[in-house]
Amino acid sequence: GAVVSQHPSWVICKSGTSVKIECRSLDFQATTMFWYRQFPKQSLMLMATSNEGSKATYEQGVEKDKFLINHASLTLSTLTVTSAHPEDSSFYICSARSGVDIGETQYFGPGTRLLVL
Amino acid sequence: AQKITQTQPGMFVQEKEAVTLDCTYDTSDPSYGLFWYKQPSSGEMIFLIYQGSYDQQNATEGRYSLNFQKARKSANLVISASQLGDSAMYFCAMREDSSASKIIFGSGTRLSIRP
């Protein structure tokens, strides 16, 4: 299957700092990328959908000024958690797909564990 | 209302036995796709199998098969001859044609294989 990478895999930061997470599709062009967060023992919750070159579409309840998403190219999307607080500590997973067919497989990155102290 | 329901929070199965993980869904969209993903303790999401709403036959991928019952809106995952490495969280997910391509997930089932 296609490969999606995320960097960093782990980040620990102080409260109030901003953290940037990168998501790359390594062997395909991702027309659409998704960002999810997952709390321990819970399911994945979609935060936002982004298409290359356009603004991200955020899910209800997700603060777009806090979670800045940039999808600058067909292989790179970034999520910046601005002024992170302990409640932002979570597992963030990006996902990417190359086509628009309903059956198009969505490939996931390995995730980034964020701990805000 | 929940769109994807997985009623089994956890399951224990003896190695080499078959196991069925339940999933029901709710949609009024005639065109949709159903997915199953596996999440081991490392956290990565591994795609297992896909079933389209118009597919006539149940999907199969190696030891994985999807028991698709459209009228009942269920899409159960069947794993044959379970292995210790199958121990993981399993998520059922759906993409509706009208939902701008996003996939939504069920709450998951934690499967534990006993040796």
Side-chain angles (χ1 to χ4, degrees):
Chain A
V3 178
V4 176
S5 71
Q6 265 183 258
H7 177 80
S9 55
W10 261 105
V11 59
I12 302 172
C13 68
K14 292 182 179 179
S15 186
T17 59
S18 293
V19 175
K20 180 185 279 189
I21 302 169
E22 288 189 351
C23 175
R24 293 182 185 274
S25 58
L26 298 185
D27 52 0
F28 67 102
Q29 293 189 324
T31 52
T32 309
M33 285 186 166
F34 306 85
W35 286 95
Y36 294 82
R37 68 188 294 185
Q38 184 180 32
F39 292 109
K41 300 189 189 302
Q42 293 188 23
S43 186
L44 281 74
M45 299 300 296
L46 180 65
M47 299 174 67
T49 302
S50 73
N51 294 295
E52 184 262 339
S54 60
K55 288 185 179 180
T57 302
Y58 290 81
E59 294 298 301
Q60 194 171 8
V62 177
E63 300 174 59
K64 56 184 174 184
D65 293 332
K66 180 160 187 67
F67 299 100
L68 301 178
I69 291 170
N70 184 280
H71 192 163
S73 75
L74 284 172
T75 59
L76 174 64
S77 176
T78 59
L79 167 68
T80 301
V81 183
T82 61
S83 187
H85 288 97
E87 59 266 28
D88 298 323
S89 298
S90 188
F91 187 52
Y92 292 87
I93 311 175
C94 75
S95 180
R97 62 187 294 213
S98 60
V100 296
D101 289 344
I102 196 160
E104 190 75 32
T105 299
Q106 195 167 307
Y107 296 97
F108 286 79
T112 297
R113 297 190 187 277
L114 170 64
L115 177 61
V116 184
L117 303 175
Chain B
Q2 290 234 359
K3 292 235 174 190
I4 299 283
T5 303
Q6 294 181 255
T7 57
Q8 305 153 310
M11 288 187 72
F12 287 89
V13 171
Q14 202 67 32
E15 190 180 8
K16 297 180 185 167
E17 288 184 352
V19 56
T20 298
L21 305 181
D22 295 341
C23 173
T24 57
Y25 59 92
D26 182 27
T27 180
S28 56
D29 199 324
S31 178
Y32 53 90
L34 297 157
F35 302 79
W36 277 92
Y37 284 85
K38 172 184 178 181
Q39 187 181 40
S41 56
S42 58
E44 61 189 306
M45 295 290 286
I46 302 168
F47 166 73
L48 296 178
I49 196 166
Y50 166 79
Q51 179 86 40
S53 59
Y54 293 120
D55 293 343
Q56 295 296 315
Q57 296 195 340
N58 287 345
T60 60
E61 288 285 350
R63 293 187 299 115
Y64 304 108
S65 61
L66 201 152
N67 184 0
F68 181 45
Q69 297 189 43
K70 194 171 181 177
R72 296 179 58 189
K73 293 189 175 178
S74 76
N76 298 340
L77 176 71
V78 180
I79 306 174
S80 63
S82 57
Q83 302 170 357
L84 296 178
D86 294 333
S87 295
M89 281 291 290
Y90 288 80
F91 291 98
C92 180
M94 178 173 68
R95 175 188 290 141
E96 295 167 295
D97 208 6
S98 58
S99 70
S101 80
K102 60 188 179 185
I103 283 180
I104 55 171
F105 287 85
S107 55
T109 295
R110 179 166 295 284
L111 176 64
S112 300
I113 308 298
R114 292 196 185 105

